[in-house]
Structures are given as structure tokens and as C-alpha cells.
Amino acid sequence: MPRAVVKPTEEADIRALSLFNGMTEESFQALFRGAYVQNFPPMIDLITEGDPSDFLHVITHGSVELFAEWNGRETTMATVRPVSTFILAATIRDAPYLMSARTLEKSRIVLLPSIDVREVFATDPVFARAIVDELAMCYRAVIKNTKNLKLRTSVERLANFILRNVSNGDGLATFELSMEKRRLASFLGMTPENLSRAIKTLQGYGVKVEGAQVTVHDVEDLTAFAKPEALIDDYST
Amino acid sequence: MPRAVVKPTEEADIRALSLFNGMTEESFQALFRGAYVQNFPPMIDLITEGDPSDFLHVITHGSVELFAEWNGRETTMATVRPVSTFILAATIRDAPYLMSARTLEKSRIVLLPSIDVREVFATDPVFARAIVDELAMCYRAVIKNTKNLKLRTSVERLANFILRNVSNGDGLATFELSMEKRRLASFLGMTPENLSRAIKTLQGYGVKVEGAQVTVHDVEDLTAFAKPEALIDDYST
DNA sequence: CGCTATGTTGATCCATATCAATAAGTGTGG
DNA sequence: CCACACTTATTGATATGGATCAACATAGCG
């Protein structure tokens, strides 16, 4: 694999991540000494579940899908976007990956040797604290996701997904789907056919989907149906 | 609430937990200075989701159910047994609990003020490392659980649950259910009625359930059906 | 003991998956 | 730039896993 230099602007982006922004320059350099960067085309497998976790991955451009397989079935676990890290827990525990990862678009990935991450963790208390914060947040995100899956029907999950995305906007109740519908379906725990029908069901609550463009005409109405709540739908805590 | 002294044997049990066993005596004492212990009857609510996380909980006797609610529905997220901690992530992030907890039997709980946990975390690198390990393990456990839920049918989940429990035994393919069936059903993501039928279905694979006693007559056969795999069913990594 | 909660079984309903056909994009090479 | 191939999305028909409702059995527990 061709090893590329990390661009200065890129390094700055990564350093701005909460995981890295408080650490000493010395620690940061120690982390990046063994790092390398690569550009990947779409639909390239980056990691396969079960493999040893040699690198902490940081995505700086593009998008990556985390997915899992069992007995011939496959499900989307998450989609990762810049700038963020993924598979931190496996790196920390020096344990095999539980999920596979593939690029969805042309993507740029920084690879930090896991051994360096563990090394710096041991010497830089600020970094240690940041890793704990990050892990605790990831843990809580997965718990929220489990509640979402177990307590809601597929239409309710879709309704809340839509609300979460439009509310992030600038007041205009519209947004663009950031992934293919079939991946969204898998992420939400349903089939593509079922997603199509769920969208139709939500038309009754003022939701219109044209291609990737989602518009909510009556946020009140959709909210009354979806009943979003912080302990499931707020990804910031 | 009556505040009780932590018994020496109990303190030893807690110190033996991987989370605490490497830390300095000084740190350990700092953690336990503000600690208190309480005995609770069965079916007492210990914490309610949404509440601020004032204490890290350690269960030393009994059993505790972690559950979540939304829109009038309730689901069992996990059952906690001695000696282990729970709601570590909320404590670390100083964020509201995502799950509620109630005692299932008479239980003894040690409460460590969250503020002390965060304080000692900042000063004791061994403790910091242990917390990270614990959190990473918890994170991975929830990911495994999500894979279990999304990739398997309810009968498959039950089959793997049974295998996981009998294989922990002494070679004899039998074990006792550690919780009521309705809670097991909820944990596995199904209704009690459905669990009854799932058990019947597994009779065809040599599973017999009499009360709480589960016997597997043909582990080979059940394994062939359940297809357990480390990346979902092994809780140790 | 008898009450109350839990568990089982049966009948039925509903949500979601599956199968199948078509339509609509999307990318590729001539 | 268009035609073709291929993937994705939609729609309809049907099957099925699982939920719900109801009745009854059973087991804990005061």
C-alpha cells in the first residue's frame, strides 16, 4: 500500500477532534509518527470483522459504512463521516473487530497504529481522559440505538430518524438523505421494501420524499406521532 | 436511607474486580471514603432513566435488572449480578442515566459518589486504564447484543442464549434459568408467549425446559442450528 | 390454603419479510 | 452523447414471524 504524508490541514482537522485536541504536542506527534494516510475508491473493504485491530482509523473525507454479518445475513450498524474515528474499542482492548467497514464513496483514511494509541494513552492523562469520554459516548449511543430497536416499530424509527435530521437544519424542515435508502433501511432494521412503505405511511403525517430529498410539511404532527425523547434520540450526550 | 458500613470482606470482593484491583490503596480509600452501602428488598427502583448520575453502583449480593421505557412500553436491557458495577458510562460523562434499575431479589448495593470516581480517575492512571478497559468491554458487549437482535430470529437468539449458558457449565448440558421467563423474553426481544413457543420449537433440537431447569440432550444438534460465533456470543472479549 | 402473578396454549391479527415484476436511476463504453 | 447494462427503488401479492387477546394452568407467596 502506498504510504502518504498527512497534510498539515488534515492534521489540524484531526487535532481538532475532541479525542485529540487537549493532548500535548509531544503526544500528538508520537501518535502520528507511525501514521499513514490513504485514499480509497468507493466500496472498498477497509476491515473485516474478526481481524486483529492493528490501527485506529480516522476518516477525513468521504463516508464509511460499518456493518456486520452472520449466517449469510448482513446489517448496517452505522455510517461514519468526517472527521471522526472508528473502532476505538477494539484498538483499546487489542481485540478483534466486531464490525466490518467499507468505503461508500471515495474516502481518505488516516491509520494510527493501535500500539501507539495504547502507548500514548498510558503516558498522556489528557488523552486518556478524552478516550474515556469518547468511549462512554459511543457506549451510550449504542444503548440508545438498542432502545430504539426494541421499543419502537419500524415506522416509528423512521419518523424519529427524519425528525432528528430535519431539526439539525436551519429551521427549514427539509434535508437530503446522506445514504442510499437500502442502507438506511438496514440501519433502521428493516427491508428496503418496508422502508418504501414506511415512507408512504408517513405521508399521512406530512412527510414527502422525492429521491434523496425529504421534506416535512407538518413538524408538529410528525413529532406528535414520533414522540422523540432525549434518552433515545439525542446523540450529543 | 440508613447508611451502612462496607464490610471488610465486601470491600475485598469489590477490590478484586478488574476495575479496582490494580489501583493504589490510597486511591481505593479515596473512592470508599464517601461510599455507602445499602440492602434493598426485591422490586425496588434504584435509579430511573433521566436522573442525574450521582453514584457509581456496585452490586455485591442479589440481582438487578436494567430496563428502559418509551411510550408505555418497557424492555429489559440487562441483568446485573455480583460482583459488578453498573451505569459506569453515565458516571464518567456526568450525564443522565439511559436506563432504569430495579432489584429483582434482596440485594446489597455499594454506592460510590460519581464525583469521587471522576476525581480518582484523574489522579490514578491504573484506575483510568481499568475504566477504559471496562468501558470498551461494555461497548463491545452492546454491539454484540445489537448484532444478535438484528441478525437473528427470536428462536435463534434463544438457542444461542441456551448454548452460552450450558457451555459455561461443567460438561453437563444443563443449567438453571437465572431469571423469570418473562424477563428473559423481554431481554431476548420477544413476548412471554413467544418464548414459550420458541422453547417448544427447540424441543425438536433436544432442548427440554422444566420450570427453570434447562437440559440440552443433543448439544451438537442445537449448535448446528444456533450457529454461535465468538463475535456475537463470546462475552469475554 | 387461597390469592395473585407467572406461564402455557390456542385463536387470531398485524407488522414485516419474502417473492416477483416493473420503474427509475446511474454508470460505462461505444 | 446516447444506448445498454446493472443496481436501486417502488409496488403488488403473499407468506410468516411474532404480537395480541383470551382462557386456563401452575406456581409462589402471604
Side-chain angles (χ1 to χ4, degrees):
Chain A
M1 289 203 231
R3 176 166 166 163
V5 171
V6 183
K7 295 177 191 165
T9 64
E10 199 162 50
E11 196 174 302
D13 282 349
I14 295 169
R15 206 177 195 328
L17 286 177
S18 64
L19 192 57
F20 302 112
N21 71 5
M23 69 197 306
T24 66
E25 188 58 26
E26 187 191 343
S27 299
F28 189 69
Q29 291 309 326
L31 264 188
F32 275 78
R33 202 163 296 139
Y36 64 98
V37 190
Q38 250 182 281
N39 291 307
F40 296 94
M43 295 307 290
I44 295 295
D45 281 2
L46 298 175
I47 61 185
T48 303
E49 54 181 303
D51 285 355
S53 54
D54 297 325
F55 296 97
L56 176 62
H57 294 234
V58 184
I59 176 172
T60 64
H61 298 277
S63 59
V64 167
E65 175 185 27
L66 302 181
F67 64 100
E69 292 169 287
W70 179 78
N71 197 29
R73 300 167 207 166
E74 176 180 320
T75 191
T76 300
M77 301 287 287
T79 306
V80 190
R81 283 164 206 297
V83 178
S84 57
T85 65
F86 53 97
I87 51 109
L88 177 58
T91 289
I92 289 298
R93 283 196 71 78
D94 197 7
Y97 299 129
L98 295 179
M99 299 183 272
S100 302
R102 68 164 75 97
T103 55
L104 292 177
E105 352 167 18
K106 228 162 68 69
S107 300
R108 190 168 168 88
I109 312 286
V110 180
L111 298 158
L112 307 174
S114 294
I115 197 166
D116 294 337
V117 175
R118 290 191 288 269
E119 170 73 22
V120 173
F121 173 89
T123 56
D124 187 327
V126 176
F127 184 54
R129 172 72 219 188
I131 282 193
V132 165
D133 273 335
E134 175 89 1
L135 270 179
M137 202 176 69
C138 289
Y139 172 79
R140 288 169 62 87
V142 189
I143 291 286
K144 287 169 194 168
N145 190 42
T146 303
K147 290 170 67 173
N148 197 30
L149 280 172
K150 290 184 80 175
L151 291 168
R152 288 175 174 159
T153 66
S154 59
V155 179
E156 288 166 346
R157 291 196 293 275
L158 174 63
N160 279 289
F161 172 84
I162 291 173
L163 279 176
R164 200 182 307 146
N165 282 275
V166 298
S167 63
N168 289 349
D170 51 3
L172 209 85
T174 181
F175 73 104
E176 195 143 323
L177 289 177
S178 54
M179 56 181 131
E180 292 172 303
K181 290 203 180 95
R182 70 196 191 95
R183 283 179 219 286
L184 175 60
S186 178
F187 173 68
L188 293 175
M190 60 178 111
T191 59
E193 296 94 321
N194 201 0
L195 175 59
S196 279
R197 286 167 186 133
I199 290 171
K200 271 197 158 176
T201 302
L202 291 184
Q203 280 178 5
Y205 296 89
V207 174
K208 200 163 76 180
V209 179
E210 290 163 303
Q213 196 63 37
V214 180
T215 314
V216 183
H217 292 99
D218 190 342
V219 175
E220 292 289 308
D221 203 16
L222 185 60
T223 303
F225 169 76
K227 298 184 177 62
E229 74 165 47
L231 300 179
I232 301 180
D233 303 290
D234 184 351
Y235 278 23
S236 65
T237 60
Chain B
M1 291 204 228
R3 174 168 167 163
V5 171
V6 183
K7 294 177 190 163
T9 64
E10 199 161 50
E11 196 173 303
D13 282 349
I14 294 169
R15 209 179 192 328
L17 286 177
S18 63
L19 192 57
F20 303 110
N21 70 5
M23 68 197 306
T24 66
E25 187 60 26
E26 187 191 342
S27 300
F28 190 69
Q29 290 310 325
L31 264 188
F32 275 77
R33 203 164 295 139
Y36 63 99
V37 191
Q38 252 183 281
N39 291 306
F40 296 94
M43 297 306 291
I44 294 294
D45 281 2
L46 298 175
I47 60 186
T48 303
E49 53 180 306
D51 285 356
S53 54
D54 297 326
F55 296 96
L56 176 63
H57 295 234
V58 184
I59 175 170
T60 64
H61 299 277
S63 59
V64 167
E65 175 185 27
L66 303 181
F67 64 99
E69 293 169 287
W70 179 77
N71 197 27
R73 300 168 207 164
E74 176 179 322
T75 191
T76 299
M77 300 288 287
T79 307
V80 189
R81 284 165 204 295
V83 180
S84 56
T85 64
F86 53 97
I87 50 112
L88 177 58
T91 289
I92 290 296
R93 283 196 71 78
D94 197 7
Y97 299 130
L98 295 178
M99 298 182 274
S100 302
R102 68 165 75 96
T103 56
L104 291 177
E105 352 166 19
K106 230 161 67 71
S107 299
R108 190 167 169 89
I109 312 285
V110 180
L111 299 156
L112 307 174
S114 295
I115 196 165
D116 294 336
V117 175
R118 290 191 288 269
E119 171 73 24
V120 173
F121 172 89
T123 57
D124 187 326
V126 177
F127 184 53
R129 172 74 218 184
I131 281 192
V132 165
D133 273 334
E134 176 88 0
L135 269 179
M137 201 177 69
C138 289
Y139 171 79
R140 288 168 62 86
V142 188
I143 291 287
K144 287 170 194 167
N145 190 42
T146 303
K147 290 170 66 172
N148 196 30
L149 281 172
K150 289 184 82 177
L151 291 168
R152 288 174 173 160
T153 67
S154 59
V155 179
E156 287 166 347
R157 291 196 293 274
L158 174 63
N160 280 289
F161 172 84
I162 290 173
L163 279 176
R164 200 181 307 145
N165 281 275
V166 299
S167 63
N168 290 347
D170 50 3
L172 208 85
T174 181
F175 74 102
E176 195 142 324
L177 289 177
S178 53
M179 56 181 133
E180 292 171 303
K181 289 200 182 101
R182 69 197 191 94
R183 282 179 218 286
L184 175 60
S186 178
F187 173 68
L188 293 175
M190 59 179 112
T191 58
E193 296 95 321
N194 202 359
L195 174 59
S196 278
R197 286 168 186 133
I199 290 172
K200 271 196 158 175
T201 302
L202 290 184
Q203 280 177 5
Y205 296 89
V207 173
K208 201 163 77 180
V209 179
E210 291 163 303
Q213 197 64 36
V214 180
T215 313
V216 182
H217 293 100
D218 190 342
V219 175
E220 293 287 310
D221 203 15
L222 186 60
T223 302
F225 169 76
K227 297 184 178 62
E229 74 166 47
L231 299 178
I232 301 180
D233 303 290
D234 183 351
Y235 278 23
S236 65
T237 61

